[in-house]
């Protein structure tokens, strides 16, 4: 079943009742002049088991502890946003798999050669997907296709950076010049938001697969709690890039991250992708990827299952 991504961008009360998330608006709840029947009809309820990601994007949102507990028990990722309305925090369950201890041991015991091979596969698929985005825009990507075959174990020659330099220099021809920078000019704001959503989806899937999001196969920043999520999301980044390209070509004002643009980016978990020749929503594909990663750690597989654009 495809899990839903819920976005809350206005003052609201979120609570739990009978296994359902209950949404109430403060102006309705506090108005004693309104009859109780009207207040009940103004509520909206959503089954907890249907929810995969929750985005909290307002300082006046109240969430009960009971609801948080139920969301985490359901392996839901909860994203909080800062004053600038950008994702700043991520909450995940501590235990998402019944054989978690065994899976942790396989992951932590993974050899360096295995990690390098897995990173090689990851970079190869990322560059291939980036090339597909360029080709879909009529931009030459023969060099990118060639670089895919030149990625060695552990990406010793840093082909990822070489491909990225070319990719970002040509991806947005309508802008004339673009530099990928988290703090840079738009559409960096759209890219940041989209990547945060995909990162949460990947982190959630890793926990469900019984893996530690902290221990990466390549990223190893001591201050980063989601190194493995940052590794595994790399081939999924081009899906965000493609959506941002679509926004630019649509003529919408992309300089401000409006609710309309957020809605488009929040739909990323349901975007159809191709995995092993089959079409499936991105969120389902990510689950296949993380499940295959565990099997690589346990010795059952030698290759991670990634989507191909």
């Amino acid at each position: 079943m495809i899990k839903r991504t819920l976005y809350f961008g206005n003052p609201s009360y979120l609570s739990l009742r009978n296994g359902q998330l209950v949404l109430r608006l403060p102006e309705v709840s506090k108005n004693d002049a309104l009859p109780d029947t009207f207040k009940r009809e103004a509520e909206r309820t959503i089954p907890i088991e249907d929810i995969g990601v929750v985005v909290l994007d307002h300082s006046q949102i109240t969430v009960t502890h009971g609801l948080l507990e139920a969301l985490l028990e359901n392996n839901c990722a909860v994203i909080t946003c800062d004053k600038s309305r950008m994702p700043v925090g991520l909450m995940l369950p501590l235990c998402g798999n019944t054989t978690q201890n065994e899976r942790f041991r396989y992951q932590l015991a993974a050899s360096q050669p295995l990690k390098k091979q897995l990173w090689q596969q990851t970079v190869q698929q990322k560059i291939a997907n980036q090339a597909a985005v360029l080709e879909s825009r009529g931009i030459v990507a023969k060099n990118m296709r060639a670089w895919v075959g030149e990625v060695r174990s552990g990406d010793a020659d840093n082909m990822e950076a070489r491909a990225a330099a070319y990719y970002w220099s040509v991806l947005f021809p309508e802008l004339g010049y673009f530099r990928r920078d988290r703090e840079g000019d738009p559409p960096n704001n759209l890219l940041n938001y989209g990547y945060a959503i995909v990162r949460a989806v990947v982190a959630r899937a890793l926990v469900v697969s019984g893996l530690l999001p902290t221990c990466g196969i390549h990223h190893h920043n001591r201050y980063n709690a989601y190194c493995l999520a940052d590794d595994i999301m790399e081939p999924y980044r081009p899906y965000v890039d493609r959506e941002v390209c679509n926004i630019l070509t649509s003529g919408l004002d992309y300089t401000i991250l409006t609710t309309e643009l957020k809605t488009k980016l929040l739909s990323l978990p349901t975007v159809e992708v191709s995995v092993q020749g089959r079409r499936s929503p991105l969120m389902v594909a990510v689950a296949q990827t993380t499940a295959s990663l565990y099997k690589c750690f346990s010795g059952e597989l030698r290759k991670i299952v990634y989507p191909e654009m």
Side-chain angles (χ1 to χ4, degrees), residues 55-206:
V55 182
L56 305 176
D57 190 10
H58 200 284
S59 60
Q60 295 181 36
I61 293 175
T62 300
V63 185
T64 67
H65 183 271
L67 175 60
L68 280 177
E69 181 183 358
L71 290 171
L72 294 175
E73 284 181 352
N74 192 58
N75 293 320
C76 179
V78 180
I79 301 172
T80 57
C81 298
D82 59 18
K83 291 183 293 185
S84 62
R85 315 302 290 265
M86 292 298 293
V88 69
L90 174 61
M91 185 181 295
L92 292 169
L94 287 175
C95 181
N97 190 283
T98 54
T99 58
Q100 193 163 352
N101 185 280
E102 177 186 76
R103 290 170 181 247
F104 281 179
R105 289 202 303 271
Y106 280 127
Q107 179 184 356
L108 296 175
S111 67
Q112 199 60 31
L114 173 60
K115 291 180 182 178
K116 287 184 176 182
Q117 290 167 16
L118 296 177
W119 182 241
Q120 176 188 25
Q121 296 169 22
T122 301
V123 172
Q124 286 176 323
Q125 195 57 60
K126 177 185 180 180
I127 296 175
N129 286 350
Q130 287 177 324
V133 173
L134 294 183
E135 290 165 348
S136 70
R137 308 203 77 203
I139 301 170
V140 174
K142 288 183 179 179
N143 51 345
M144 300 277 286
R145 295 294 183 187
W147 291 336
V148 171
E150 295 178 22
V151 179
R152 295 193 295 152
S153 178
D155 191 20
D157 302 312
N158 203 7
M159 297 304 297
E160 181 193 19
R162 183 176 180 181
Y166 174 75
Y167 179 71
W168 291 118
S169 70
V170 300
L171 181 60
F172 302 118
E174 59 268 70
L175 300 182
Y177 171 80
F178 174 77
R179 180 170 178 265
R180 172 61 189 143
D181 183 349
R182 281 188 57 84
E183 308 300 326
D185 296 332
N188 277 295
N189 55 341
L190 306 186
L191 293 167
N192 294 343
Y193 198 89
Y195 292 154
I197 298 302
V198 172
R199 188 181 193 232
V201 170
V202 173
R204 172 188 177 275
L206 287 169

Side-chain angles (χ1 to χ4, degrees), residues 3-18:
K3 298 288 186 175
R4 297 175 62 179
T5 298
L6 301 183
Y7 171 82
F8 300 99
N10 294 304
S12 53
Y13 291 127
L14 305 178
S15 59
L16 178 71
R17 186 174 66 224
N18 299 327

